[in-house]
Amino acid sequence: MTNKKLRSVFGLLMAIVIIATGCGQAKSEGNTGATAGTDKASIENLPAAIAEKKDIKLMVIRKIGGDDHTAQYLAGAKQEGESLGFKVDTFSANGDTAKFHDAIAQATDGGYDGVVISHGDDPATVEAVQKLTDKGIPVVAFDSVGELSAIPGVTLTSQDDEALAQFSLDQLVKEKGEEAKIVYLWVDGFPPMIRRNKVYQDTLAKYPGIKEVERFGVANNNTSVDTQNAVAAMLTKHPKGEIDAIFATWDAFAIGAARAIIEAGRTEIKIYGIDVSNADLQVMQEENSPWAATAAVDPKMIGAVNVRLLAKKIAGEETPATYNLEAALIDQAELSKSADPVNMVSLATIIPGWGTTDAFLEDWMKSLKTIYGK
């Protein structure tokens, strides 16, 4: 082949490469999560307040942290917001009150269009949320102090804490009897814990034969380890027959208690908890696991619903003052029916409807999801 022909062939090949590369780049650049040729302006009935904003920024701030439930809650909120085309920042204070309030203060002046807070449990939270709303920033508050309801426009959301506690305690009584000897793992000061404690006290009144042997509770970024150490110490004081069950009002408590019981070889003691995560499900499905049951709401779904409510507020739509998410009971008997290990996703095969809800999912949100959803 002559040099001239070689140059012609080489030139043709380079042209093909350039064209192919250009097509690939165009496809990549256009694949930003939006459907080709579609944008917000084309969505029918899109609220003007959403359509007019080029960028919508949300902040999700949670006081407690260091646990899988928090991670999933924040992930659910971020995923839902981004599927609507919003920018979502998240922050966990890991139980540090000062960091929690610093984050809210920064959000107040950070150019955010809406804020979700979680587990605000003190008067300073009320003051901080008031400052947000005074600046026209809408707020949704999950598992936070009831005094926030006095601030116009704020929506208080929660898991159905009464149902969570009742499901778990009913299962404990069913399996361990009306004269069970129990350890109570609980911490005061948090609104959901106060609600759960009310159900616990009512249960003790209903079944006067139940005996509380001991109680313990601390909420920090080391809760599981501290609980494990406390339960391990309790077990040395109480030989077999003196404790039948543990009622754990938070899965961080249950995880620590399960570790202590397993290490001590005291799996005759069963755990009845609240909340669930992949780590929790793994422990519950281990052979001879002491964790018998837990009552829960999918934490990712909680995060998503809070963001939908916030989106409706930004859109200028009506939202309720309060909203409770429906709870479910998960027990070992149901988990054991699965041929494969159950995780947070496959849990839906055991509990119909788990992890899904159309609550506050408006048609215009569904349309946004077709553009920005992943």
Side-chain angles (χ1 to χ4, degrees):
M1 187 178 288
T2 64
N3 288 339
K4 184 176 182 180
K5 288 183 176 179
L6 281 171
R7 285 196 297 272
S8 298
V9 171
F10 181 76
L12 179 60
L13 289 172
M14 287 301 295
I16 293 170
V17 169
I18 290 169
I19 292 170
T21 303
C23 290
Q25 288 175 338
K27 182 177 181 181
S28 175
E29 289 166 2
N31 188 23
T32 59
T35 304
T38 308
D39 57 31
K40 285 199 299 186
S42 67
I43 295 176
E44 186 178 355
N45 297 324
L46 183 66
I50 301 293
E52 292 167 0
K53 285 183 177 288
K54 182 179 179 182
D55 297 307
I56 294 177
K57 290 173 53 183
L58 310 183
M59 185 65 179
V60 183
I61 305 168
R62 184 159 163 123
K63 183 173 182 179
I64 65 172
D67 62 309
D68 200 16
H69 192 279
T70 293
Q72 290 183 72
Y73 168 86
L74 294 177
K78 188 173 183 68
Q79 182 178 322
E80 188 72 7
E82 289 179 348
S83 76
L84 299 173
F86 302 165
K87 184 181 186 300
V88 184
D89 294 328
T90 64
F91 177 78
S92 170
N94 288 327
D96 188 313
T97 299
K99 289 182 179 179
F100 175 67
H101 288 295
D102 283 346
I104 298 176
Q106 290 175 28
T108 305
D109 299 315
Y112 289 97
D113 298 287
V115 174
V116 175
I117 66 165
S118 174
H119 292 83
D121 60 348
D122 56 11
T125 298
V126 181
E127 296 172 13
V129 169
Q130 183 68 65
K131 290 179 181 177
L132 282 166
T133 59
D134 286 347
K135 292 195 69 171
I137 302 170
V139 177
V140 175
F142 172 63
D143 270 0
S144 296
V145 289
E147 287 80 0
L148 290 172
S149 61
I151 301 176
V154 174
T155 294
L156 289 175
T157 65
S158 65
Q159 303 179 89
D160 190 338
D161 291 293
E162 289 81 5
L164 288 169
Q166 199 67 66
F167 281 150
S168 189
L169 285 165
D170 285 351
Q171 193 71 5
L172 186 158
V173 173
K174 176 183 175 182
E175 296 183 356
K176 290 298 181 178
E178 297 179 11
E179 296 184 350
K181 299 178 285 293
I182 66 175
V183 170
Y184 183 38
L185 300 182
W186 172 78
V187 62
D188 200 358
F190 294 94
M193 290 294 179
I194 293 169
R195 292 190 289 268
R196 294 169 193 181
N197 183 62
K198 174 66 166 58
V199 176
Y200 174 71
Q201 298 301 333
D202 290 345
T203 301
L204 293 184
K206 182 178 180 180
Y207 302 108
I210 292 178
K211 178 185 177 184
E212 181 184 298
V213 179
E214 290 201 38
R215 68 167 61 189
F216 172 79
V218 61
N220 57 31
N221 60 1
N222 214 31
T223 295
S224 292
V225 174
D226 287 349
T227 303
Q228 181 178 351
N229 293 336
V231 172
M234 289 179 197
L235 295 177
T236 63
K237 296 189 293 180
H238 302 283
K240 286 187 178 182
E242 291 191 7
I243 299 174
D244 297 313
I246 290 176
F247 175 46
T249 53
W250 181 18
D251 65 338
F253 292 150
I255 280 280
R259 290 173 185 155
I261 288 172
I262 292 168
E263 287 183 5
R266 296 289 299 277
T267 54
E268 82 280 359
I269 300 171
K270 301 303 178 185
I271 298 170
Y272 299 84
I274 292 176
D275 293 334
V276 71
S277 70
N278 280 319
D280 301 345
L281 289 170
Q282 183 178 345
V283 173
M284 290 181 71
Q285 294 171 90
E286 291 175 358
E287 188 174 359
N288 297 321
S289 172
W291 197 338
T294 194
V297 179
D298 181 6
K300 287 190 73 174
M301 188 177 73
I302 300 171
V305 169
N306 277 269
V307 165
R308 290 176 195 169
L309 278 163
L310 192 58
K312 283 176 65 65
K313 290 180 182 295
I314 295 169
E317 296 183 346
E318 185 176 348
T319 54
T322 61
Y323 182 72
N324 281 338
L325 292 107
E326 189 175 350
L329 180 71
I330 306 160
D331 63 37
Q332 285 181 325
E334 290 297 315
L335 293 175
S336 66
K337 293 178 181 178
S338 174
D340 300 311
V342 178
N343 57 33
M344 293 292 287
V345 175
S346 60
L347 193 55
T349 63
I350 295 174
I351 302 176
W354 175 263
T356 61
T357 180
D358 288 333
F360 309 109
L361 182 59
E362 305 299 335
D363 286 342
W364 59 265
M365 294 184 193
K366 295 176 184 177
S367 296
L368 285 175
K369 284 172 178 279
T370 65
I371 300 174
Y372 299 104
K374 298 177 182 178

